[in-house]
Amino acid sequence: MNYTVSEKYFKLFSDLIYEKSGINIHNGKKELLQARIAKILRREKLKDYKELYEKVKNDKSGRYLTLLLNSISTNKTSFFREEKHFKFLSSVAIKELENRKNDYTLRCWSAGCSSGEEVYSIAITVLESLKNPDAWKIKILGTDLSYDVLNTATKGIYPYESVSFLPKNKIQKYFIVNNGQVEVDRKLKNIVIFRWLNLMQPFPFRNKLDFIFCRNVMIYFDKKTKENLIKRLYDCLDYNGYLFIGMSESLTGIKHNFKYIMPSVYKKV
Ligand SMILES: C[S@@+](CC[C@H](N)C(=O)[O-])C[C@H]1O[C@@H](n2cnc3c(N)ncnc32)[C@H](O)[C@@H]1O
């Protein structure tokens, strides 16, 4: 079967993806889009792009839209990716929080958490850094628009190699090792929660957050989408809270109210 995408359907799909997720598929990404959609067509036994497009538009359950968006985004992640952020969290941000907060609540959000490694890395850092973690009410939320990655995140089972670089005592403390795999320990699972959320849709928070990690997510977004997202992230962060973005990302050229702290770390002051 030939799944070459026509100009018309390339534009229809890229506009739809942009509208629903903020992900910007420019002409240079045409082949990528084509390959990813062809996979869906084959798997779902659909005739052509038109049939998928109509299903995405008309299917009220959102199943086809989710399939489409999942196929486009990159889910690459790892434990303690961009380690400097975890060092900063431990040596600066959590220390400030301990001095500042007397209600002993710590709320953190990993927006675009993929399969959960980022969330569990934050959880380990928090438990290792707070002087008296038992006294704190800790909630670390991970959200993503891919159900597949959220499934992995909730299970918390990963290949042993993904954590083998950690000191042995940390592996023993935070993971259960079994048959070449590790499962995240209860003490981490108890303080994390995973939910589906499209960042283009309203956020569900009642309380302000202390830290937001939105790393390697905005790489797909154009300036307008980024600016809008950054403003909404600012609004749901507490004063003195921190925003972490990917180390290869920057807010240069984007209107925002954050104070720049160091590359990819921003503070609401
Ligand atoms: C490359 S991963 C980054 C994972 C992790 N933050 C890290 O830095 O290791 C990007 C994640 O963002 C998610 N994503 C992209 N657009 C999104 C949107 N509009 N709403 C929610 N999640 C989105 C993707 O599904 C993907 O899992």
mmCIF file of all heavy atoms in Angstrom, residues 56-101:
data_model
loop_
_atom_site.group_PDB
_atom_site.id
_atom_site.type_symbol
_atom_site.label_atom_id
_atom_site.label_comp_id
_atom_site.label_asym_id
_atom_site.label_seq_id
_atom_site.Cartn_x
_atom_site.Cartn_y
_atom_site.Cartn_z
ATOM 1 N N VAL A 56 -10.796 11.080 13.087
ATOM 2 C CA VAL A 56 -10.290 11.974 14.137
ATOM 3 C C VAL A 56 -11.294 13.090 14.395
ATOM 4 O O VAL A 56 -11.601 13.438 15.540
ATOM 5 C CB VAL A 56 -8.922 12.573 13.748
ATOM 6 C CG1 VAL A 56 -8.467 13.610 14.776
ATOM 7 C CG2 VAL A 56 -7.868 11.485 13.627
ATOM 8 N N LYS A 57 -11.857 13.648 13.306
ATOM 9 C CA LYS A 57 -12.781 14.776 13.437
ATOM 10 C C LYS A 57 -14.113 14.359 14.064
ATOM 11 O O LYS A 57 -14.700 15.106 14.834
ATOM 12 C CB LYS A 57 -13.087 15.385 12.055
ATOM 13 C CG LYS A 57 -11.953 16.207 11.468
ATOM 14 C CD LYS A 57 -11.651 17.444 12.244
ATOM 15 C CE LYS A 57 -12.222 18.705 11.662
ATOM 16 N NZ LYS A 57 -11.683 19.896 12.362
ATOM 17 N N ASN A 58 -14.581 13.139 13.720
ATOM 18 C CA ASN A 58 -15.956 12.772 14.095
ATOM 19 C C ASN A 58 -16.076 11.872 15.311
ATOM 20 O O ASN A 58 -17.146 11.757 15.883
ATOM 21 C CB ASN A 58 -16.668 12.087 12.913
ATOM 22 C CG ASN A 58 -16.692 13.017 11.704
ATOM 23 O OD1 ASN A 58 -16.804 14.226 11.876
ATOM 24 N ND2 ASN A 58 -16.556 12.466 10.511
ATOM 25 N N ASP A 59 -14.971 11.232 15.683
ATOM 26 C CA ASP A 59 -15.043 10.269 16.779
ATOM 27 C C ASP A 59 -15.091 11.005 18.129
ATOM 28 O O ASP A 59 -14.113 11.617 18.545
ATOM 29 C CB ASP A 59 -13.816 9.350 16.708
ATOM 30 C CG ASP A 59 -13.628 8.582 17.993
ATOM 31 O OD1 ASP A 59 -14.642 8.127 18.550
ATOM 32 O OD2 ASP A 59 -12.479 8.445 18.446
ATOM 33 N N LYS A 60 -16.240 10.930 18.781
ATOM 34 C CA LYS A 60 -16.462 11.700 20.026
ATOM 35 C C LYS A 60 -15.614 11.164 21.194
ATOM 36 O O LYS A 60 -15.327 11.889 22.133
ATOM 37 C CB LYS A 60 -17.947 11.639 20.429
ATOM 38 C CG LYS A 60 -18.892 12.299 19.436
ATOM 39 C CD LYS A 60 -19.243 13.710 19.867
ATOM 40 C CE LYS A 60 -20.193 14.421 18.947
ATOM 41 N NZ LYS A 60 -19.774 14.491 17.528
ATOM 42 N N SER A 61 -15.209 9.895 21.139
ATOM 43 C CA SER A 61 -14.445 9.321 22.250
ATOM 44 C C SER A 61 -13.029 9.911 22.317
ATOM 45 O O SER A 61 -12.362 9.831 23.347
ATOM 46 C CB SER A 61 -14.339 7.804 22.090
ATOM 47 O OG SER A 61 -13.377 7.494 21.088
ATOM 48 N N GLY A 62 -12.576 10.494 21.214
ATOM 49 C CA GLY A 62 -11.227 11.084 21.195
ATOM 50 C C GLY A 62 -10.136 10.043 20.959
ATOM 51 O O GLY A 62 -8.956 10.349 20.993
ATOM 52 N N ARG A 63 -10.528 8.786 20.731
ATOM 53 C CA ARG A 63 -9.530 7.711 20.596
ATOM 54 C C ARG A 63 -8.585 7.975 19.420
ATOM 55 O O ARG A 63 -7.363 7.840 19.554
ATOM 56 C CB ARG A 63 -10.263 6.375 20.399
ATOM 57 C CG ARG A 63 -9.300 5.239 20.156
ATOM 58 C CD ARG A 63 -9.946 3.873 20.173
ATOM 59 N NE ARG A 63 -8.937 2.900 19.802
ATOM 60 C CZ ARG A 63 -8.720 2.494 18.567
ATOM 61 N NH1 ARG A 63 -9.473 2.927 17.569
ATOM 62 N NH2 ARG A 63 -7.754 1.624 18.309
ATOM 63 N N TYR A 64 -9.143 8.360 18.282
ATOM 64 C CA TYR A 64 -8.298 8.549 17.092
ATOM 65 C C TYR A 64 -7.415 9.792 17.225
ATOM 66 O O TYR A 64 -6.287 9.811 16.755
ATOM 67 C CB TYR A 64 -9.158 8.597 15.822
ATOM 68 C CG TYR A 64 -9.667 7.228 15.453
ATOM 69 C CD1 TYR A 64 -10.924 6.788 15.863
ATOM 70 C CD2 TYR A 64 -8.861 6.349 14.732
ATOM 71 C CE1 TYR A 64 -11.375 5.513 15.553
ATOM 72 C CE2 TYR A 64 -9.294 5.071 14.423
ATOM 73 C CZ TYR A 64 -10.552 4.654 14.833
ATOM 74 O OH TYR A 64 -10.980 3.385 14.536
ATOM 75 N N LEU A 65 -7.958 10.808 17.880
ATOM 76 C CA LEU A 65 -7.132 12.005 18.095
ATOM 77 C C LEU A 65 -5.942 11.638 18.989
ATOM 78 O O LEU A 65 -4.801 12.026 18.718
ATOM 79 C CB LEU A 65 -7.967 13.112 18.759
ATOM 80 C CG LEU A 65 -7.169 14.363 19.127
ATOM 81 C CD1 LEU A 65 -6.612 15.047 17.881
ATOM 82 C CD2 LEU A 65 -8.010 15.351 19.927
ATOM 83 N N THR A 66 -6.205 10.852 20.025
ATOM 84 C CA THR A 66 -5.124 10.439 20.920
ATOM 85 C C THR A 66 -4.091 9.617 20.164
ATOM 86 O O THR A 66 -2.883 9.840 20.317
ATOM 87 C CB THR A 66 -5.709 9.619 22.098
ATOM 88 O OG1 THR A 66 -6.718 10.411 22.712
ATOM 89 C CG2 THR A 66 -4.653 9.279 23.119
ATOM 90 N N LEU A 67 -4.565 8.697 19.329
ATOM 91 C CA LEU A 67 -3.628 7.890 18.529
ATOM 92 C C LEU A 67 -2.731 8.794 17.696
ATOM 93 O O LEU A 67 -1.520 8.595 17.604
ATOM 94 C CB LEU A 67 -4.409 6.985 17.565
ATOM 95 C CG LEU A 67 -4.984 5.673 18.094
ATOM 96 C CD1 LEU A 67 -5.723 4.933 16.979
ATOM 97 C CD2 LEU A 67 -3.853 4.804 18.629
ATOM 98 N N LEU A 68 -3.368 9.795 17.087
ATOM 99 C CA LEU A 68 -2.632 10.710 16.216
ATOM 100 C C LEU A 68 -1.589 11.512 17.012
ATOM 101 O O LEU A 68 -0.406 11.545 16.653
ATOM 102 C CB LEU A 68 -3.621 11.662 15.533
ATOM 103 C CG LEU A 68 -3.027 12.701 14.598
ATOM 104 C CD1 LEU A 68 -2.413 12.033 13.374
ATOM 105 C CD2 LEU A 68 -4.088 13.719 14.158
ATOM 106 N N LEU A 69 -2.012 12.106 18.114
ATOM 107 C CA LEU A 69 -1.093 12.943 18.896
ATOM 108 C C LEU A 69 0.036 12.111 19.504
ATOM 109 O O LEU A 69 1.187 12.526 19.531
ATOM 110 C CB LEU A 69 -1.853 13.709 19.985
ATOM 111 C CG LEU A 69 -2.907 14.701 19.490
ATOM 112 C CD1 LEU A 69 -3.542 15.452 20.648
ATOM 113 C CD2 LEU A 69 -2.333 15.713 18.492
ATOM 114 N N ASN A 70 -0.320 10.892 19.971
ATOM 115 C CA ASN A 70 0.713 10.011 20.538
ATOM 116 C C ASN A 70 1.776 9.663 19.512
ATOM 117 O O ASN A 70 2.947 9.507 19.837
ATOM 118 C CB ASN A 70 0.107 8.691 21.022
ATOM 119 C CG ASN A 70 -0.697 8.873 22.284
ATOM 120 O OD1 ASN A 70 -0.745 9.971 22.827
ATOM 121 N ND2 ASN A 70 -1.335 7.823 22.730
ATOM 122 N N SER A 71 1.323 9.511 18.273
ATOM 123 C CA SER A 71 2.265 9.061 17.245
ATOM 124 C C SER A 71 3.237 10.176 16.848
ATOM 125 O O SER A 71 4.304 9.914 16.321
ATOM 126 C CB SER A 71 1.507 8.568 16.017
ATOM 127 O OG SER A 71 1.023 9.676 15.297
ATOM 128 N N ILE A 72 2.870 11.414 17.124
ATOM 129 C CA ILE A 72 3.675 12.543 16.674
ATOM 130 C C ILE A 72 4.741 12.942 17.687
ATOM 131 O O ILE A 72 5.847 13.315 17.333
ATOM 132 C CB ILE A 72 2.748 13.768 16.414
ATOM 133 C CG1 ILE A 72 1.819 13.473 15.242
ATOM 134 C CG2 ILE A 72 3.531 15.039 16.175
ATOM 135 C CD1 ILE A 72 2.526 13.045 13.976
ATOM 136 N N SER A 73 4.397 12.840 18.986
ATOM 137 C CA SER A 73 5.339 13.380 19.970
ATOM 138 C C SER A 73 6.465 12.389 20.262
ATOM 139 O O SER A 73 6.313 11.188 20.112
ATOM 140 C CB SER A 73 4.594 13.745 21.258
ATOM 141 O OG SER A 73 3.925 12.608 21.734
ATOM 142 N N THR A 74 7.580 12.916 20.684
ATOM 143 C CA THR A 74 8.732 12.094 21.048
ATOM 144 C C THR A 74 8.716 11.926 22.553
ATOM 145 O O THR A 74 8.562 12.907 23.272
ATOM 146 C CB THR A 74 10.029 12.811 20.611
ATOM 147 O OG1 THR A 74 9.922 13.007 19.216
ATOM 148 C CG2 THR A 74 11.252 11.995 20.925
ATOM 149 N N ASN A 75 8.880 10.713 23.023
ATOM 150 C CA ASN A 75 8.746 10.464 24.456
ATOM 151 C C ASN A 75 10.087 10.243 25.152
ATOM 152 O O ASN A 75 10.137 9.776 26.283
ATOM 153 C CB ASN A 75 7.836 9.237 24.686
ATOM 154 C CG ASN A 75 6.474 9.409 24.043
ATOM 155 O OD1 ASN A 75 6.094 8.658 23.157
ATOM 156 N ND2 ASN A 75 5.754 10.415 24.468
ATOM 157 N N LYS A 76 11.163 10.580 24.471
ATOM 158 C CA LYS A 76 12.500 10.318 25.030
ATOM 159 C C LYS A 76 12.647 10.948 26.428
ATOM 160 O O LYS A 76 12.351 12.128 26.628
ATOM 161 C CB LYS A 76 13.548 10.923 24.092
ATOM 162 C CG LYS A 76 14.967 10.671 24.508
ATOM 163 C CD LYS A 76 15.905 11.353 23.506
ATOM 164 C CE LYS A 76 17.354 11.227 23.855
ATOM 165 N NZ LYS A 76 17.744 11.762 25.139
ATOM 166 N N THR A 77 13.102 10.151 27.359
ATOM 167 C CA THR A 77 13.326 10.649 28.718
ATOM 168 C C THR A 77 14.269 9.702 29.433
ATOM 169 O O THR A 77 14.601 8.637 28.880
ATOM 170 C CB THR A 77 11.996 10.785 29.487
ATOM 171 O OG1 THR A 77 12.239 11.412 30.747
ATOM 172 C CG2 THR A 77 11.300 9.441 29.722
ATOM 173 N N SER A 78 14.708 10.037 30.636
ATOM 174 C CA SER A 78 15.527 9.103 31.416
ATOM 175 C C SER A 78 15.593 9.582 32.863
ATOM 176 O O SER A 78 15.243 10.737 33.156
ATOM 177 C CB SER A 78 16.941 9.001 30.838
ATOM 178 O OG SER A 78 17.506 10.281 30.720
ATOM 179 N N PHE A 79 16.033 8.702 33.758
ATOM 180 C CA PHE A 79 16.197 9.070 35.159
ATOM 181 C C PHE A 79 17.293 10.135 35.274
ATOM 182 O O PHE A 79 18.338 10.031 34.644
ATOM 183 C CB PHE A 79 16.577 7.842 35.998
ATOM 184 C CG PHE A 79 15.395 6.972 36.318
ATOM 185 C CD1 PHE A 79 15.087 5.868 35.534
ATOM 186 C CD2 PHE A 79 14.567 7.279 37.396
ATOM 187 C CE1 PHE A 79 13.983 5.071 35.828
ATOM 188 C CE2 PHE A 79 13.464 6.492 37.692
ATOM 189 C CZ PHE A 79 13.166 5.381 36.914
ATOM 190 N N PHE A 80 17.027 11.151 36.052
ATOM 191 C CA PHE A 80 17.974 12.232 36.327
ATOM 192 C C PHE A 80 18.546 12.851 35.052
ATOM 193 O O PHE A 80 19.698 13.274 35.024
ATOM 194 C CB PHE A 80 19.090 11.754 37.285
ATOM 195 C CG PHE A 80 18.559 11.469 38.663
ATOM 196 C CD1 PHE A 80 18.144 10.188 39.014
ATOM 197 C CD2 PHE A 80 18.413 12.493 39.583
ATOM 198 C CE1 PHE A 80 17.610 9.927 40.274
ATOM 199 C CE2 PHE A 80 17.877 12.238 40.847
ATOM 200 C CZ PHE A 80 17.484 10.956 41.194
ATOM 201 N N ARG A 81 17.710 12.908 34.018
ATOM 202 C CA ARG A 81 18.109 13.586 32.786
ATOM 203 C C ARG A 81 18.371 15.057 33.126
ATOM 204 O O ARG A 81 17.614 15.647 33.888
ATOM 205 C CB ARG A 81 16.945 13.480 31.791
ATOM 206 C CG ARG A 81 17.196 14.158 30.483
ATOM 207 C CD ARG A 81 15.956 14.045 29.621
ATOM 208 N NE ARG A 81 16.241 14.406 28.262
ATOM 209 C CZ ARG A 81 15.304 14.504 27.322
ATOM 210 N NH1 ARG A 81 14.046 14.259 27.597
ATOM 211 N NH2 ARG A 81 15.632 14.832 26.102
ATOM 212 N N GLU A 82 19.406 15.612 32.571
ATOM 213 C CA GLU A 82 19.785 17.007 32.836
ATOM 214 C C GLU A 82 19.963 17.197 34.349
ATOM 215 O O GLU A 82 19.220 17.913 35.020
ATOM 216 C CB GLU A 82 18.761 17.963 32.224
ATOM 217 C CG GLU A 82 18.684 17.755 30.718
ATOM 218 C CD GLU A 82 17.627 18.578 29.994
ATOM 219 O OE1 GLU A 82 16.742 19.130 30.646
ATOM 220 O OE2 GLU A 82 17.699 18.645 28.752
ATOM 221 N N GLU A 83 20.990 16.515 34.833
ATOM 222 C CA GLU A 83 21.243 16.347 36.262
ATOM 223 C C GLU A 83 21.358 17.663 37.040
ATOM 224 O O GLU A 83 21.008 17.725 38.219
ATOM 225 C CB GLU A 83 22.543 15.545 36.404
ATOM 226 C CG GLU A 83 22.672 14.819 37.694
ATOM 227 C CD GLU A 83 24.111 14.373 37.898
ATOM 228 O OE1 GLU A 83 24.913 14.444 36.949
ATOM 229 O OE2 GLU A 83 24.419 13.953 39.024
ATOM 230 N N LYS A 84 21.829 18.714 36.333
ATOM 231 C CA LYS A 84 22.015 20.010 37.010
ATOM 232 C C LYS A 84 20.735 20.481 37.683
ATOM 233 O O LYS A 84 20.751 21.114 38.730
ATOM 234 C CB LYS A 84 22.435 21.065 35.986
ATOM 235 C CG LYS A 84 23.917 21.173 35.813
ATOM 236 C CD LYS A 84 24.258 22.412 35.019
ATOM 237 C CE LYS A 84 25.751 22.447 34.764
ATOM 238 N NZ LYS A 84 26.096 23.300 33.651
ATOM 239 N N HIS A 85 19.596 20.179 37.064
ATOM 240 C CA HIS A 85 18.313 20.612 37.633
ATOM 241 C C HIS A 85 18.055 19.954 38.984
ATOM 242 O O HIS A 85 17.532 20.575 39.908
ATOM 243 C CB HIS A 85 17.162 20.265 36.680
ATOM 244 C CG HIS A 85 17.128 21.141 35.477
ATOM 245 N ND1 HIS A 85 16.571 20.751 34.283
ATOM 246 C CD2 HIS A 85 17.593 22.394 35.272
ATOM 247 C CE1 HIS A 85 16.684 21.727 33.403
ATOM 248 N NE2 HIS A 85 17.313 22.725 33.982
ATOM 249 N N PHE A 86 18.442 18.693 39.106
ATOM 250 C CA PHE A 86 18.193 17.975 40.362
ATOM 251 C C PHE A 86 19.153 18.470 41.440
ATOM 252 O O PHE A 86 18.794 18.544 42.614
ATOM 253 C CB PHE A 86 18.273 16.464 40.130
ATOM 254 C CG PHE A 86 17.217 16.017 39.143
ATOM 255 C CD1 PHE A 86 17.515 15.860 37.797
ATOM 256 C CD2 PHE A 86 15.907 15.842 39.554
ATOM 257 C CE1 PHE A 86 16.530 15.514 36.876
ATOM 258 C CE2 PHE A 86 14.910 15.492 38.639
ATOM 259 C CZ PHE A 86 15.229 15.330 37.307
ATOM 260 N N LYS A 87 20.358 18.844 41.004
ATOM 261 C CA LYS A 87 21.323 19.419 41.958
ATOM 262 C C LYS A 87 20.783 20.762 42.459
ATOM 263 O O LYS A 87 20.851 21.057 43.648
ATOM 264 C CB LYS A 87 22.679 19.626 41.262
ATOM 265 C CG LYS A 87 23.350 18.301 40.892
ATOM 266 C CD LYS A 87 24.849 18.347 41.208
ATOM 267 C CE LYS A 87 25.451 16.961 41.312
ATOM 268 N NZ LYS A 87 26.088 16.526 40.051
ATOM 269 N N PHE A 88 20.242 21.567 41.546
ATOM 270 C CA PHE A 88 19.696 22.876 41.922
ATOM 271 C C PHE A 88 18.484 22.698 42.841
ATOM 272 O O PHE A 88 18.336 23.397 43.850
ATOM 273 C CB PHE A 88 19.306 23.666 40.665
ATOM 274 C CG PHE A 88 18.785 25.038 40.974
ATOM 275 C CD1 PHE A 88 19.652 26.115 41.109
ATOM 276 C CD2 PHE A 88 17.424 25.243 41.168
ATOM 277 C CE1 PHE A 88 19.164 27.379 41.424
ATOM 278 C CE2 PHE A 88 16.936 26.504 41.484
ATOM 279 C CZ PHE A 88 17.813 27.573 41.604
ATOM 280 N N LEU A 89 17.637 21.749 42.486
ATOM 281 C CA LEU A 89 16.443 21.473 43.296
ATOM 282 C C LEU A 89 16.866 21.146 44.725
ATOM 283 O O LEU A 89 16.320 21.674 45.693
ATOM 284 C CB LEU A 89 15.689 20.286 42.663
ATOM 285 C CG LEU A 89 14.328 19.917 43.254
ATOM 286 C CD1 LEU A 89 13.330 21.042 43.026
ATOM 287 C CD2 LEU A 89 13.787 18.630 42.598
ATOM 288 N N SER A 90 17.857 20.294 44.836
ATOM 289 C CA SER A 90 18.299 19.831 46.140
ATOM 290 C C SER A 90 19.034 20.929 46.920
ATOM 291 O O SER A 90 18.746 21.161 48.092
ATOM 292 C CB SER A 90 19.225 18.622 45.913
ATOM 293 O OG SER A 90 19.879 18.307 47.075
ATOM 294 N N SER A 91 19.953 21.622 46.262
ATOM 295 C CA SER A 91 20.836 22.523 47.012
ATOM 296 C C SER A 91 20.252 23.929 47.175
ATOM 297 O O SER A 91 20.662 24.653 48.073
ATOM 298 C CB SER A 91 22.208 22.609 46.326
ATOM 299 O OG SER A 91 22.033 23.125 45.034
ATOM 300 N N VAL A 92 19.304 24.316 46.337
ATOM 301 C CA VAL A 92 18.760 25.675 46.433
ATOM 302 C C VAL A 92 17.242 25.657 46.661
ATOM 303 O O VAL A 92 16.746 26.134 47.696
ATOM 304 C CB VAL A 92 19.075 26.500 45.152
ATOM 305 C CG1 VAL A 92 18.485 27.903 45.255
ATOM 306 C CG2 VAL A 92 20.569 26.551 44.887
ATOM 307 N N ALA A 93 16.510 25.107 45.714
ATOM 308 C CA ALA A 93 15.054 25.285 45.714
ATOM 309 C C ALA A 93 14.386 24.651 46.942
ATOM 310 O O ALA A 93 13.518 25.266 47.564
ATOM 311 C CB ALA A 93 14.474 24.714 44.421
ATOM 312 N N ILE A 94 14.779 23.444 47.293
ATOM 313 C CA ILE A 94 14.140 22.785 48.436
ATOM 314 C C ILE A 94 14.563 23.452 49.751
ATOM 315 O O ILE A 94 13.763 23.610 50.668
ATOM 316 C CB ILE A 94 14.430 21.262 48.417
ATOM 317 C CG1 ILE A 94 13.671 20.653 47.225
ATOM 318 C CG2 ILE A 94 14.030 20.595 49.739
ATOM 319 C CD1 ILE A 94 13.853 19.178 47.028
ATOM 320 N N LYS A 95 15.802 23.899 49.828
ATOM 321 C CA LYS A 95 16.264 24.609 51.038
ATOM 322 C C LYS A 95 15.426 25.871 51.241
ATOM 323 O O LYS A 95 14.970 26.159 52.349
ATOM 324 C CB LYS A 95 17.743 24.986 50.905
ATOM 325 C CG LYS A 95 18.654 23.779 50.943
ATOM 326 C CD LYS A 95 19.865 24.019 51.834
ATOM 327 C CE LYS A 95 20.512 22.746 52.295
ATOM 328 N NZ LYS A 95 20.657 21.696 51.307
ATOM 329 N N GLU A 96 15.226 26.621 50.145
ATOM 330 C CA GLU A 96 14.407 27.842 50.241
ATOM 331 C C GLU A 96 12.994 27.497 50.700
ATOM 332 O O GLU A 96 12.408 28.187 51.525
ATOM 333 C CB GLU A 96 14.320 28.512 48.861
ATOM 334 C CG GLU A 96 15.545 29.297 48.480
ATOM 335 C CD GLU A 96 15.392 29.968 47.115
ATOM 336 O OE1 GLU A 96 14.248 30.103 46.613
ATOM 337 O OE2 GLU A 96 16.426 30.330 46.549
ATOM 338 N N LEU A 97 12.471 26.428 50.122
ATOM 339 C CA LEU A 97 11.102 26.012 50.454
ATOM 340 C C LEU A 97 10.982 25.690 51.949
ATOM 341 O O LEU A 97 10.015 26.080 52.605
ATOM 342 C CB LEU A 97 10.742 24.778 49.617
ATOM 343 C CG LEU A 97 9.276 24.378 49.626
ATOM 344 C CD1 LEU A 97 8.482 25.238 48.652
ATOM 345 C CD2 LEU A 97 9.112 22.912 49.229
ATOM 346 N N GLU A 98 11.975 25.006 52.477
ATOM 347 C CA GLU A 98 11.951 24.648 53.905
ATOM 348 C C GLU A 98 11.966 25.898 54.788
ATOM 349 O O GLU A 98 11.320 25.930 55.824
ATOM 350 C CB GLU A 98 13.174 23.763 54.259
ATOM 351 C CG GLU A 98 13.003 22.345 53.780
ATOM 352 C CD GLU A 98 14.189 21.457 54.169
ATOM 353 O OE1 GLU A 98 15.337 21.863 53.911
ATOM 354 O OE2 GLU A 98 13.946 20.373 54.712
ATOM 355 N N ASN A 99 12.674 26.923 54.329
ATOM 356 C CA ASN A 99 12.736 28.154 55.120
ATOM 357 C C ASN A 99 11.474 28.996 54.985
ATOM 358 O O ASN A 99 11.114 29.751 55.861
ATOM 359 C CB ASN A 99 13.931 29.019 54.676
ATOM 360 C CG ASN A 99 15.235 28.356 55.062
ATOM 361 O OD1 ASN A 99 15.276 27.609 56.034
ATOM 362 N ND2 ASN A 99 16.284 28.600 54.295
ATOM 363 N N ARG A 100 10.809 28.840 53.855
ATOM 364 C CA ARG A 100 9.700 29.724 53.499
ATOM 365 C C ARG A 100 8.349 29.197 53.957
ATOM 366 O O ARG A 100 7.482 29.962 54.343
ATOM 367 C CB ARG A 100 9.742 29.884 51.971
ATOM 368 C CG ARG A 100 8.605 30.575 51.314
ATOM 369 C CD ARG A 100 8.998 30.958 49.888
ATOM 370 N NE ARG A 100 9.207 29.831 49.001
ATOM 371 C CZ ARG A 100 8.241 29.183 48.388
ATOM 372 N NH1 ARG A 100 7.007 29.521 48.574
ATOM 373 N NH2 ARG A 100 8.524 28.175 47.581
ATOM 374 N N LYS A 101 8.173 27.900 53.904
ATOM 375 C CA LYS A 101 6.812 27.367 54.080
ATOM 376 C C LYS A 101 6.601 26.833 55.481
ATOM 377 O O LYS A 101 7.407 26.059 55.984
ATOM 378 C CB LYS A 101 6.571 26.239 53.079
ATOM 379 C CG LYS A 101 6.161 26.748 51.717
ATOM 380 C CD LYS A 101 5.474 25.652 50.960
ATOM 381 C CE LYS A 101 4.280 26.148 50.215
ATOM 382 N NZ LYS A 101 3.674 25.076 49.421
#
